[in-house]
Amino acid sequence: MSILMGIIGIVIVLAVAFLMSNDKKLINYKGIAVMLVIQLAISAFMMNTSIGRKVLDFITSVFTKVLSFGNDGISFVFGDLAGKGIFFIQTLVMIVFVSALLSILNYSRILPFGIKYIGGLVSKITGLPQIESFTAVNAMIFGDTTALIAVKNHIGGLTPNRLFIVTTTSLVSVSCSILGAYMQMIPAEYVLIALPLNVFSGLIVSSIVAPVKVEDENEVDIKAPAKQGTLFEAIGDGALDGGRVALIVAAMLVTYVGLLALVNYVLNGVIGLTVQDILGYIFYPIAFIMGIPADELMRAGGVMGTKVVANEFVAMLDFQKMMPHLSEKTVGIVSAYLISFANFSSIGIVLGTIQAINGEQASRVAKFGLKMLLVATMGSILTGIMVGLFI
């Protein structure tokens, strides 16, 4: 029954995307089918085979070991405070260390090399244009803004449909620099599974809604997001960038958590409900088609809605308290769903990035901003369903 519900959920997501499509005759059904099969294969292998579980456990252990080195640095700077459960110190400061590591990998050309060839492979497998495929893969590593900046030389020449795919797939992603923070809040294995699934989820739903015709393309010039002159400069820039991100996330959390508490106080006094309760009702049917058990739909829906109206960190803070009281299936589905930047604030971030690149294209993004968020959220839903099928 659970598997059947998941299959129905996939069909519903694809059907909604089809109804939203602005050119149904141009949809690349073969490419969509191929990407769905790849998602199912990744999920089944990683979660339902002994080899896949060993691979996933190994990757998780590698990430955990790497993060332990960052914890050494945190302990050195903050001393006894590092073990006191202070969220900023124990979770957000890890962003600094991981950001520096990414900067090193980028400087050494390891990441640009991988993005170029993995993106090219995705393009050939799916039949989608190279720019869209490169952006989806790049966003998996660097997040939405840097993925868009990496293809800035091509943004001006994109058709409205291609621009929609590029911006939407960038939202169905997260930056690897904050993976360490996520992995300290929700189960690491679901964070890691969601990364590759999001690449295809974003491409599937956005290319149905805004299909494109693949024509002869020149070699795509993917610029490295960083151009440091020396290794030590790369380390320094990465650490400083990570520090800025950590402070920005902390500032957003202070604001959103405080505002939610204020609004909840007012709502609870007036109607006896909280924002999470209201969002739970709104997202109840969505949680249902994702395969979440009936007695956990309201709580899961509230977390899912919080992620859209606030951000994934605020949602994870709520979800972290609930996880001990929820089934493994709900934990897996919601965790995978949370691993993306699909929220209202991200519309402004993407719009600002495109504005800095090309003002004319930014006006187009402004017109389809809400649609972009809706489709990106559908991509996150698809990722959650895929994970739920194999729990």
Side-chain angles (χ1 to χ4, degrees):
M1 186 63 186
S2 176
I3 294 176
L4 177 61
M5 195 65 249
I7 294 172
I8 293 173
I10 293 173
V11 172
I12 291 174
V13 170
L14 297 181
V16 172
F18 178 80
L19 292 173
M20 293 174 63
S21 178
N22 56 32
D23 193 343
K24 296 177 177 61
K25 294 180 180 179
L26 202 57
I27 296 174
N28 182 354
Y29 294 101
K30 180 182 177 181
I32 301 300
V34 168
M35 287 188 282
L36 285 170
V37 170
I38 291 173
Q39 283 192 312
L40 289 169
I42 291 173
S43 301
F45 175 72
M46 298 296 275
M47 300 178 66
N48 272 29
T49 68
S50 57
I51 297 176
R53 288 300 310 182
K54 288 179 180 178
V55 170
L56 184 58
D57 290 342
F58 173 74
I59 296 173
T60 302
S61 67
V62 169
F63 269 86
T64 302
K65 187 63 178 177
V66 170
L67 294 180
S68 73
F69 299 135
N71 282 323
D72 289 342
I74 293 172
S75 297
F76 178 79
V77 173
F78 293 99
D80 292 339
L81 290 175
K84 298 291 186 181
I86 300 172
F87 180 76
F88 179 80
I89 295 173
Q90 197 161 324
T91 302
L92 296 186
V93 175
M94 183 62 72
I95 295 173
V96 177
F97 176 67
V98 178
S99 179
L101 283 181
L102 276 178
S103 188
I104 293 170
L105 292 174
N106 192 47
Y107 170 80
S108 62
R109 308 299 298 170
I110 294 173
L111 285 182
F113 179 85
I115 291 168
K116 179 179 178 65
Y117 287 98
I118 294 174
L121 179 62
V122 170
S123 178
K124 289 180 180 179
I125 291 174
T126 63
L128 291 171
Q130 291 183 14
I131 293 174
E132 286 85 327
S133 301
F134 281 125
T135 302
V137 174
N138 205 359
M140 178 178 69
I141 306 297
F142 292 108
D144 47 11
T145 55
T146 305
L148 295 172
I149 292 171
V151 293
K152 63 181 181 180
N153 293 338
H154 303 277
I155 293 292
L158 295 179
T159 62
N161 274 14
R162 296 189 69 183
L163 181 65
F164 181 85
I165 294 175
V166 165
T167 53
T168 302
T169 53
S170 75
L171 279 186
V172 192
S173 66
V174 292
S175 169
C176 277
S177 64
I178 56 179
L179 283 189
Y182 292 160
M183 292 169 68
Q184 295 179 75
M185 300 172 70
I186 59 178
E189 62 266 30
Y190 298 124
V191 176
L192 297 173
I193 290 172
L195 287 179
L197 292 184
N198 279 343
V199 171
F200 296 104
S201 290
L203 289 173
I204 288 170
V205 292
S206 62
S207 62
I208 293 176
V209 173
V212 296
K213 183 178 181 181
V214 181
E215 300 174 347
D216 292 335
E217 294 184 293
N218 296 324
E219 182 71 17
V220 177
D221 179 22
I222 302 296
K223 298 293 184 183
K227 298 180 180 178
Q228 294 88 0
T230 67
L231 174 62
F232 294 106
E233 189 179 354
I235 295 171
D237 286 354
L240 291 174
D241 288 343
R244 280 190 287 268
V245 172
L247 288 173
I248 290 170
V249 172
M252 287 194 302
L253 286 175
V254 169
T255 303
Y256 278 116
V257 172
L259 286 175
L260 277 175
L262 172 62
V263 174
N264 281 342
Y265 177 80
V266 174
L267 287 176
N268 197 42
V270 176
I271 59 176
L273 294 173
T274 65
V275 171
Q276 289 87 343
D277 293 333
I278 296 170
L279 292 171
Y281 285 111
I282 295 173
F283 278 79
Y284 187 99
I286 297 174
F288 177 72
I289 68 167
M290 292 176 74
I292 290 173
D295 60 337
E296 298 175 346
L297 289 172
M298 281 295 296
R299 285 175 289 175
V303 171
M304 292 164 60
T306 300
K307 184 246 185 176
V308 175
V309 299
N311 59 48
E312 73 281 6
F313 272 104
V314 178
M316 285 179 190
L317 285 172
D318 281 347
F319 192 52
Q320 193 176 30
K321 301 169 188 173
M322 298 179 193
M323 284 193 297
H325 312 290
L326 297 173
S327 65
E328 180 63 25
K329 192 173 188 69
T330 297
V331 171
I333 292 173
V334 177
S335 294
Y337 165 87
L338 291 176
I339 308 302
S340 84
F341 287 150
N343 58 65
F344 278 101
S345 60
S346 290
I347 298 176
I349 294 172
V350 169
L351 179 58
T353 303
I354 299 295
Q355 180 67 52
I357 297 171
N358 186 293
E360 184 178 347
Q361 293 288 51
S363 64
R364 292 193 176 98
V365 174
K367 292 177 181 177
F368 60 61
L370 289 176
K371 184 178 181 181
M372 175 179 69
L373 174 59
L374 173 59
V375 176
T377 301
M378 289 166 58
S380 295
I381 292 169
L382 183 58
T383 292
I385 293 173
M386 286 292 177
V387 169
L389 283 174
F390 300 96
I391 298 177

